[in-house]
Every structure is written in C-alpha cells, then in structure tokens.
Amino acid sequence: MCGIFGYVGTQDPLKICMTGLEQLEYRGYDSSGIAGVFEGTMVSCKKAGKLSNLKQELRKLPSKSFDLIIGHTRWATHGIVNDQNAHPHLDLRGEIAIVHNGIIENCHFLREQLRKEGVSFSSQTDTEVIVQWISKFYTGDLIAAVQKTIPLLKGIYAIAVIHKDHPHQIIAAARECPLAIGTDDQKTESYLSSDPNAFGKSGLNVLFLRDDEVAKIEKGTIEVFNTGQDLIIKKVERFESEYLAPSKEGFEHYLLKEIYEQPSTILKAIWGRFHEETAQVEFENFHLTKENLQKIQQIRILGCGTSAHAGLIAANYFEEMAKIPASCEIASEARYQTPLFTPHTLVIAISQSGETADTIAALREAKAAGCKTLGICNVKHSTLTRETDSCIYLKAGPEISVCSTKALTSQIAVLSLLALHIALCRGKDAASARAFFQELKKVPSHIQKVIDSSAELEKLALKYASFNDFFFMGRRHMYITCMEAALKLKEISYVNANGYPAGELKHGAIALINPRFPVVAFCANLQTKDKILSNLMEVKARGAPILAFAPEGMDEVANIADDVFWLPPTIDELAPFTSTVAGQFLAYFIAKIRGCDIDQPRNLAKSVTVE
Ligand code: F6R
C-alpha cells in the first residue's frame, strides 16, 4: 500500500513533508521516512513504527533546510517491519534516494542480476532493487536512468526519486498506482503525493501520472514524458482541497467519533436526493439516463471488505425494489473471472477510499468489456471517481479510523436511494417510493437511539470480552449484517469471529459450538423471525452463550437468549443500519477492554493499494 510524498519549493520542505505524511499514514503505518538534499549531500532518516517514531528520530538530526524532500509511509509487502526495510532506500553510494508504493513482482530476478555484478543489498525490499538499477544506469541524467529502469519492472508502482547532484529535481513515475503532482499558480512550488488530499493546500493545478509516464518535477514546473520519451500535455485539474486537520473532537478514538457521526452522515447521504413531491431521486453529476436505466439487464457490484458488504446488501435492494438480477463480487476474485456481461450490464464499484487496487482493477476489466460503470465513493479526486462513467459521493467526510464504520452506513443509504431511483425509472409507483423514503428518513434517529443506549453495549462487552471465538449469525439482510459485525470484531479486537447464515450452521459449523463459543444473533429480519428463533434454540441446546440484537417487540428472543440488546424496529430492508451500529459498538468496547490499537489495528492500512 504505502503513501509517497515529495516537495520542492519555497516553503520548508521537511515541515510540508511531515504534514503530508500525517495525511498519508492511513496508507500504512509500519514505518516511515524522509530523504532530502542538503548542501550537496543526501540526508535520510527512517524509522519502524508509526510516524511519531520518525518525528522522535528527526529530533536527533541537526536542523536542516533541505532543497527538496521525498517521504514515505509503509505497509510492508517485501520484508519484515524494521528500520532497514523502511523507505527511502538509497543506492550503494548513498547519492540516489527512492520512495515507492506498489509491488515489483520480478524483484528477485532483478536483484539476482545485480548481485552477480557485485551489488550488495541492505534491505529485503523490492524498492531497493529499483534504486540500485537506477544507480547502474545513472550517468549524470537522472530522468534518463529512471526511464531506462522502468521497462525492467513487472508489477505496479508509483515512485519518487532524487539525486544529491540534482537538488532541484524530483523524478516521478507511475504504473497503476495513484500519483498526483500539483503546482501553484505562482510557480514557486511543486508537490507530489499518492493522494492529492495530502497536499494540505488548495488551489493547486494537479495532474495524475499513469501508464509508465515519467515526470520531471521542479519548483512550479512539471514536464511529463510517455514511454516513447516524448514530452506530452497532460490534463490538469484545479484542486480545491476540502482538507480539514483531523480531530477526534474530544472522543477517545476516531472510531468512536465516526460511529457517533452516523446520524448526521446518513442524513448528508440522503439529503436533497429524494424529492418527496415528485417522488424523484436526483444525484449530482449522474450521467445514466432514464433510458439507460430502463435497459439494464443485470447489475454487477464490486467491492472489498466492508464495501463488499454494502454491495451484498445493495444486490438485495436491486433485485427486490428494481427487479433486476444483481450480484456482488469480491473484487479480488472478480478481476480474474470471465463474467457473462450482457450489452446492458451496469457495473457498480463501491469504495470508501476510491483507491482499493482490486476494486479498480476489476472495474477496468468491466470497462474494457464495454459495461457502463458507476462509482460509489467517499473521497473526491480518487482514482475510482476519475475512472467511472458517473460517481455518487457519500459526503461522509474523512474516515480516519482504519476500521470502516460511517462509510458503510452511508454506502447503504446511497445504494438504497439508487435502487429506488432505478425502480422508479422502471415503473415503481410513487406512493410506495415515498413510503420507503419515509422509513429511510427515520434511520438517523433510530441510530441515535442505539448511540444513546451504548452504555448497555459497553456492559455486554465486559461480559463477552474474555471469549476468543464467536459466531455471528443472521438471516437475509441480517446475514450480511452479521458478516460485517464479525469483520469489525476480528479487525479491531483480534478475536476469531465468523459471520454465518443462521440456517447453514447445522451443515457443519455447529460442531464448534460449546459453552466457550458465544453466538451473537442478529434477529431484526422479520420475514425470517420464526426461523431465527429456531436457530437460537439449536445453539442454546448445545450450550452456547447467546447475545441477541433484536427489534423491540420480538419478546420471544428474551426467553431464549442470555442477553438481548433491543433495537428500534424498522422494515427489513433498513434493519442493517441499527444492527450494524450495535455491532460496531460491541467491537469497539471489546477492543478497548482487550487493550487493542483501535484506530490503527495491527497489519492493516486504510487504503489497500496493492493486490
Ligand atoms: C473494514 C475495512 C476494509 C475496507 C476495504 C475496502 O473495516 O475498512 O475491509 O472496507 O479495505 O476499502 P475501500 O472501501 O476503501 O475500497
């Protein structure tokens, strides 16, 4: 994954770079580092662990005013997490430095070739291989050395390279990994970053590199060359950053803050998008016409992790409301399938970050097959927003905690409106559309009620936090909801939790049930009420402690479960909202009791930009 950053300009490069790296830490927090040119020498500083460790390390350096700088936050792919494997990596002479996001698949081959020529390596990374090849080709012209190196690389990358003898020049190149370069109007400074939102400055003119393009970046000027080494004119976008310095606003963790934000983020996702008088849905910059939507024969949804869960819920919406065959595929699988697209397949790619490599790759496959594409995304200017025919924004504001919460509920809200829109275009009656929206409008206040009773969930967490294995079970909409709740628990509490369709347990997995294996039962799908009650009896008979999340009024649950958390009742389609929030709280409190790193769980990154 990793985030890369670079700066050359009139401000203090180190200060700008450290602010940029703070914004990029969501892409990896295994280690971080910087390298810059100072009085004709290359100075580098890097440290394993979070950015705060690098900040401590930088204090040991005599204060320096660099000519330019590159920086990195790492999510380890090749090589364990330690100081040596942290970026930047330098060539043997310590004259060239590189930062890299991506994976070089033929790095072992390339490394061995250099080893035979006597080159020794000080890290286990694929990145060091790139800089040693650049060094081999360097004869005074840095861009030429980079241009000679990149055809050797198999895999994906975004790189930034500097040389001590070129103190005013950063060379950047990218293939399939995002890389934004921005300059100001006065032409006094240039920035590069994996994410333009990390520039920390508005009003820049920004371009994105791709397809092995190479850029020569100097103060306020950028020249871009294609693989034929011709100078090319790139499309430049005006970038008005909506950047706000992240703040926990008094909450102990970003995760808790983001859980609490959900009544307002859901409201933002639906506000102004359904006109009750005319019973019409309207999304900004939505280019699919009524005619397009009438012709759709199937919907294929792509996503990973929590976004895939939103997609699974939405597939039900499209089938039930709009009567269109719909499926959701895990993007890492979808990209290697050969689906039978019809001429009127709509492909919907869901991603909070808009940068998830598998989702983008699967989307590109669908585009190549001629499908119409639609993105559902939270981050403006991200790759997904640029590569889909239309994109609906969640408007949920930055999601900082690695574990996704508010993005999911906004995704479901937006997707329910999209299903309603398509259904209306295909003849759904206005009265039932209005009735659905009336229920949807109540969701923020239902969630507020869950938030107001979260102290009960904290008590339940105390009771259940010592267990190491959980089943989460549910039916229909609650099946997907319980998979999401299990993912939250795994992700932030490091507890084994499986989301299971309640009816499927008896086909094998029930063998695991015992008094040390609690079941969290999601009961809010009223259509299958009697069935889930029977499933509860089955696990109770085998001694499992049962915690149920059930809608008020389903009193029978209290006679079976050991504990019940009551939820505001709603229609089945919208029950995922409140049950999801209850699951988020449970995971949060258990993680807190177990002393886990809630906002930055081990081994993870917010944005998964490698396959
Ligand atoms: C789970 C989580 C991940 C992401 C997944 C996709 O809490 O955050 O499972 O949902 O990595 O990320 P996006 O939505 O950015 O494509």
Side-chain angles (χ1 to χ4, degrees):
M1 269 84 91
C2 309
I4 70 173
F5 193 88
Y7 177 80
V8 51
T10 44
Q11 300 188 64
D12 175 5
L14 181 57
K15 199 166 156 212
I16 299 278
C17 185
M18 291 307 289
T19 311
L21 292 184
E22 274 168 24
Q23 300 313 308
L24 290 174
E25 207 180 9
Y26 75 89
R27 300 176 73 92
Y29 36 83
D30 286 337
S31 62
S32 53
I34 57 105
V37 178
F38 172 73
E39 292 182 351
T41 58
M42 184 67 74
V43 177
S44 167
C45 182
K46 55 192 195 172
K47 198 72 197 154
K50 294 191 184 172
L51 199 56
S52 48
N53 295 2
L54 175 66
K55 285 183 189 159
Q56 295 282 349
E57 203 64 15
L58 281 167
R59 287 207 192 110
K60 297 181 194 159
L61 282 185
S63 96
K64 294 197 183 327
S65 181
F66 293 104
D67 295 312
L68 48 57
I69 200 159
I70 54 175
H72 190 266
T73 58
R74 177 170 190 243
W75 185 84
T77 57
H78 291 60
I80 58 167
V81 175
N82 61 17
D83 291 351
Q84 285 93 326
N85 289 333
H87 299 213
H89 290 282
L90 272 59
D91 69 329
L92 281 183
R93 286 189 289 269
E95 294 178 349
I96 307 176
I98 188 171
V99 287
H100 167 219
N101 163 215
I103 288 187
I104 303 306
E105 289 164 1
N106 59 340
C107 68
H108 300 293
F109 171 75
L110 294 174
R111 184 192 298 259
E112 285 318 304
Q113 278 192 297
L114 287 181
R115 269 215 178 106
K116 282 179 201 150
E117 293 176 21
V119 176
S120 61
F121 288 83
S122 53
S123 80
Q124 300 153 321
T125 64
D126 49 350
T127 308
E128 193 187 355
V129 175
I130 312 176
V131 73
Q132 303 288 22
W133 274 94
I134 293 172
S135 177
K136 174 182 159 81
F137 289 134
Y138 179 77
T139 53
D141 183 348
L142 187 56
I143 191 165
V146 172
Q147 280 167 330
K148 273 192 185 158
T149 303
I150 58 176
L152 304 177
L153 307 178
K154 278 195 185 152
I156 59 170
Y157 66 83
I159 53 172
V161 185
I162 56 176
H163 191 295
K164 75 171 186 51
D165 293 340
H166 303 273
H168 306 295
Q169 190 182 91
I170 303 175
I171 305 299
R175 181 194 300 159
E176 285 184 42
C177 287
L179 185 53
I181 307 172
T183 51
D184 62 339
D185 287 338
Q186 294 72 32
K187 300 202 175 303
T188 58
E189 51 184 356
S190 295
Y191 297 73
L192 79 84
S193 173
S194 303
D195 174 355
N197 294 296
F199 290 154
K201 177 164 177 157
S202 234
L204 292 177
N205 305 306
V206 174
L207 60 84
F208 293 87
L209 288 193
R210 56 181 303 173
D211 300 335
D212 287 335
E213 289 165 348
V214 180
K216 183 158 102 182
I217 304 163
E218 299 188 341
K219 251 180 218 168
T221 64
I222 308 166
E223 287 177 337
V224 180
F225 301 86
N226 63 15
T227 46
Q229 302 182 9
D230 303 314
L231 188 63
I232 53 169
I233 308 292
K234 292 279 294 179
K235 183 177 154 220
V236 174
E237 295 170 31
R238 190 77 179 165
F239 183 75
E240 302 302 341
S241 166
E242 289 170 5
Y243 167 76
L244 288 172
S247 158
K248 291 188 194 140
E249 291 170 15
F251 286 94
E252 196 175 347
H253 297 99
Y254 283 110
L255 186 70
L256 191 60
K257 171 181 168 246
E258 287 159 7
I259 293 174
Y260 269 73
E261 278 176 329
Q262 291 175 104
S264 81
T265 48
I266 292 171
L267 206 58
K268 282 183 198 151
I270 61 175
W271 196 251
R273 285 175 162 170
F274 183 77
H275 304 293
E276 293 192 55
E277 272 176 29
T278 54
Q280 277 178 352
V281 179
E282 192 182 7
F283 297 110
E284 318 78 51
N285 303 317
F286 187 77
H287 307 301
L288 292 164
T289 62
K290 187 173 177 181
E291 204 193 2
N292 293 149
L293 298 176
Q294 282 168 340
K295 282 189 184 157
I296 296 173
Q297 291 168 336
Q298 63 164 352
I299 295 177
R300 187 172 162 87
I301 306 169
L302 305 169
C304 295
T306 290
S307 291
H309 293 155
L312 286 165
I313 290 174
N316 285 336
Y317 291 162
F318 292 123
E319 294 204 331
E320 284 164 20
M321 286 198 229
K323 312 286 179 228
I324 302 178
S327 62
C328 174
E329 304 295 330
I330 300 288
S332 53
E333 290 297 315
R335 62 185 291 187
Y336 296 109
Q337 292 168 351
T338 41
L340 300 174
F341 292 123
T342 70
H344 298 291
T345 301
L346 173 64
V347 170
I348 302 178
I350 308 175
S351 174
Q352 187 285 131
S353 61
E355 299 295 351
T356 300
D358 286 316
T359 308
I360 302 290
L363 170 76
R364 287 179 183 155
E365 294 291 325
K367 275 179 84 170
C371 298
K372 290 221 173 325
T373 59
L374 172 66
I376 308 288
C377 192
N378 195 33
V379 179
K380 287 195 174 165
H381 305 284
S382 59
T383 305
L384 185 81
T385 67
R386 293 195 305 277
E387 297 208 8
T388 40
D389 298 328
S390 289
C391 191
I392 304 176
Y393 287 102
L394 303 181
K395 305 184 191 172
E399 191 179 64
I400 306 291
S401 190
V402 163
C403 175
S404 189
T405 52
K406 63 177 178 172
L408 172 87
T409 46
S410 293
Q411 285 163 344
I412 307 173
V414 161
L415 286 156
S416 73
L417 277 185
L418 178 66
L420 194 64
H421 180 46
I422 300 178
L424 283 163
C425 291
R426 296 161 76 100
K428 188 179 178 73
D429 65 294
S432 63
R434 282 193 195 98
F436 178 81
F437 189 70
Q438 286 307 319
E439 287 303 316
L440 184 61
K441 261 195 337 193
K442 291 181 202 157
V443 166
S445 67
H446 291 331
I447 291 184
Q448 192 56 51
K449 281 191 190 145
V450 176
I451 292 172
D452 294 342
S453 341
S454 58
E456 279 176 50
L457 288 161
E458 188 167 12
K459 276 194 208 136
L460 290 167
L462 262 174
K463 178 170 172 186
Y464 286 90
S466 62
F467 291 97
N468 290 323
D469 302 285
F470 284 80
F471 266 126
F472 283 56
M473 71 176 192
R475 284 174 169 262
R476 294 280 293 132
H477 298 288
M478 286 302 108
Y479 161 44
I480 304 159
T481 307
C482 82
M483 287 201 293
E484 168 62 12
L487 177 62
K488 299 293 93 148
L489 191 63
K490 282 187 266 222
E491 185 178 359
I492 60 170
S493 310
Y494 317 145
V495 167
N496 175 35
N498 281 305
Y500 235 78
E504 182 66 11
L505 271 176
K506 56 175 125 7
H507 296 285
I510 202 165
L512 288 168
I513 293 287
N514 68 58
R516 291 295 305 158
F517 211 126
V519 170
V520 183
F522 286 69
C523 305
N525 200 72
L526 297 179
Q527 182 206 5
T528 51
K529 174 182 159 186
D530 294 340
K531 309 293 168 199
I532 191 85
L533 291 175
S534 306
N535 299 139
L536 285 182
M537 292 303 291
E538 289 157 11
V539 291
K540 190 183 170 77
R542 282 147 186 96
I546 300 175
L547 164 59
F549 292 163
E552 285 156 11
M554 201 189 266
D555 298 337
E556 303 89 324
V557 174
N559 299 328
I560 309 171
D562 297 273
D563 298 286
V564 185
F565 180 76
W566 297 106
L567 299 160
T570 180
I571 57 175
D572 283 2
E573 292 83 346
L574 301 180
F577 285 101
T578 44
S579 298
T580 291
V581 176
Q584 293 168 351
F585 272 118
L586 184 72
Y588 172 77
F589 288 127
I590 291 183
K592 198 171 151 194
I593 293 161
R594 293 174 77 105
C596 300
D597 187 343
I598 290 178
D599 283 328
Q600 294 184 322
R602 69 184 180 207
N603 305 339
L604 292 173
K606 182 76 184 153
S607 183
V608 183
T609 58
V610 293
E611 213 183 321

